């Protein structure tokens, strides 16, 4: 255990020194494996075999499909469609941002992609129309992690594969919490902006004109909105596995981008494919070294020792769950959502099982909590990515972010943790899990 703690401390130190995540975990994995006496010649083939699994093939396919749809012009159509409903209300653009991030998550499965596609459009637009820049930045950052909770979620794929769980069930576990958190952020946005007098609001239009605008923008967004229906419909109807559904999504994204939205062209198509490949490569590199470390941990029975230590610390199930949530929050602050999913599956899933938490319920806890960590200072990768768009210093968006997290995301983490039915209802209804 001491060797594991020292290796983990080394990884954290390297991450804080801004070493790339894959290299940090690679060094930590090799140090831990060597110090613990594990056979590295066995660990490397295991990691290669795991990253080459059929289930994990869904990851690059969803990344590719989401990248193609984003480049193809989907974000503009989604924004226009949601804006047709609430864009003429005070604070309406903020609501549009939240809902569109959630919808974009149903296509890309990535919070960073949501910031890149939605944040770069909405932050400057909100600022132009009188929104406080700090609020605009915080709203985009907090809303981006909804992409982790609305399927298909890339971190949920990784968590399910690592933990040996059903990918479809893991997807469904965060749907209801994600939908509730979307509504909470919309309401908080309106609440925080009620006394802001600088916001410009478009003039109201007659009901018939508004209805025609909804129909027109809905028709333009039809192909974008159809994509998650196809993905989830094929998975839960039994027509396709998640990996096969990801392949269908990729095949669907190409003609939509070229023929319907026309954002994809022969000129930008190679660069788009290359960008998706780079994203996939960086994720796979991280996963490879994480699987090396995780296998070495299992051989040394580290997960079992962690579970026994926490249970020995207290037999109170509520306290154990609170401790697990604190650990997940710290993991989410330090590493990205994909890396956090692997660590949670290897280290904390056995602990959750030990205290009687359903594995699919724990998947929802992980998905919800890692999102909180990804926008919580001091590390907060998604928060700083949004700040990179707005070019603001931390003091400008720190307070708005903390208000959104304290009143929105943190309560949702606690609700998901202590109300299992919220995350188990859909998997039981759709898939019949016990």
């Amino acid at each position: 255990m001491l060797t594991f703690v020292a290796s983990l401390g080394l990884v954290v130190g390297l991450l804080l020194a801004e070493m790339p995540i894959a290299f940090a975990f690679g060094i930590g994995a090799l140090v831990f494996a060597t110090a613990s006496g594990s056979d590295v010649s066995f660990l490397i083939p295991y990691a290669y075999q795991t990253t080459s699994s059929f289930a994990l093939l869904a990851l690059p396919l969803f990344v590719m499909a989401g990248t193609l749809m984003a480049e193809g012009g989907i974000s503009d159509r989604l924004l226009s469609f949601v804006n047709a409903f609430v864009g003429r209300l005070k604070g309406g653009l903020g609501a549009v941002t939240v809902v569109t991030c959630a919808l974009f998550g149903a296509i890309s499965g990535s919070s960073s992609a949501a910031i890149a596609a939605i944040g770069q459009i909405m932050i400057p637009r909100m600022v132009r129309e009188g929104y406080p820049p700090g609020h605009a930045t915080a709203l985009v950052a907090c809303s981006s992690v909804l992409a982790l909770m609305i399927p298909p979620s890339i971190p949920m794929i990784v968590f399910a594969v690592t933990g040996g769980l059903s990918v479809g069930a893991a997807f469904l576990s965060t749907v209801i919490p994600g939908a509730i958190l979307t509504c909470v952020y919309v309401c908080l946005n309106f609440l925080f902006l009620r006394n802001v007098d600088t916001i410009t609001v478009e003039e109201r239009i007659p009901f018939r004109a508004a209805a025609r605008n909804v129909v027109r923008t809905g028709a333009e967004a039809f192909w974008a909105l159809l994509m998650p229906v196809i993905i989830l419909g094929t998975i839960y109807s039994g027509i396709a596995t998640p990996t096969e559904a990801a392949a269908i999504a990729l095949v669907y994204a190409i003609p939509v981008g070229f023929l319907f939205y026309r954002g994809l062209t022969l000129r930008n198509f190679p660069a788009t494919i290359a960008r998706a490949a780079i994203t996939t490569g960086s994720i796979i590199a991280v996963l490879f070294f994480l699987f090396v470390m995780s296998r070495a941990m299992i051989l040394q029975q580290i997960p079992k020792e962690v579970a026994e230590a926490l249970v020995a610390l207290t037999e109170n199930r509520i306290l154990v769950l609170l401790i697990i949530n604190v650990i997940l929050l710290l993991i989410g602050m330090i590493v990205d959502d994909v890396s956090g999913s692997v660590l949670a599956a290897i280290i904390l899933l056995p602990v959750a099982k030990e205290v009687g938490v359903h594995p699919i319920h724990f998947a929802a806890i992980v998905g919800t909590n890692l999102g909180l960590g990804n926008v919580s200072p001091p590390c907060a990768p998604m928060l700083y990515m949004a700040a990179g768009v707005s070019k603001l210093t931390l003091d400008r968006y720190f307070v708005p972010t903390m208000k959104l997290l304290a009143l929105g995301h943190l309560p949702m983490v606690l609700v998901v943790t202590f109300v299992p039915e919220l995350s188990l209802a859909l998997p039981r209804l759709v898939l019949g899990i016990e």
Side-chain angles (χ1 to χ4, degrees), residues 47-134:
Y48 176 80
Q49 181 180 5
T50 306
T51 53
S52 304
S53 67
F54 178 76
L56 203 57
L57 182 60
L59 189 154
L61 293 174
F62 276 130
V63 169
M64 187 76 71
T67 304
L68 289 173
M69 289 292 282
E71 184 67 30
I74 178 178
S75 53
D76 293 329
R77 272 71 176 189
L78 290 176
L79 286 167
S80 298
F81 178 55
V82 180
N83 189 65
F85 287 94
V86 293
R88 298 180 185 277
L89 301 175
K90 184 177 181 180
L93 276 183
V96 169
T97 300
V98 174
V99 175
T100 307
C101 281
L103 290 175
F104 195 81
I107 294 166
S108 70
S110 167
S111 54
S112 58
I115 292 177
I118 308 301
Q120 293 191 45
I121 298 173
M122 292 306 295
I123 290 179
R125 184 174 172 182
M126 283 191 282
V127 172
R128 282 197 306 269
E129 299 198 11
Y131 283 68

Side-chain angles (χ1 to χ4, degrees), residues 106-159:
I107 294 166
S108 70
S110 167
S111 54
S112 58
I115 292 177
I118 308 301
Q120 293 191 45
I121 298 173
M122 292 306 295
I123 290 179
R125 184 174 172 182
M126 283 191 282
V127 172
R128 282 197 306 269
E129 299 198 11
Y131 283 68
H135 175 82
T137 302
L139 192 65
V140 168
C142 294
S143 301
S144 70
V145 298
L146 293 170
L148 308 183
M149 304 172 69
I150 308 295
S153 165
I154 291 173
M156 280 294 96
I157 295 174
V158 174
F159 179 84

Side-chain angles (χ1 to χ4, degrees), residues 98 139 142-143 181-189 404-405 408-409:
V98 174
L139 192 65
C142 294
S143 301
L181 187 56
T182 300
C183 295
V184 169
Y185 275 152
V186 168
C187 294
L188 289 176
N189 167 72
L404 286 169
L405 295 181
H409 210 128

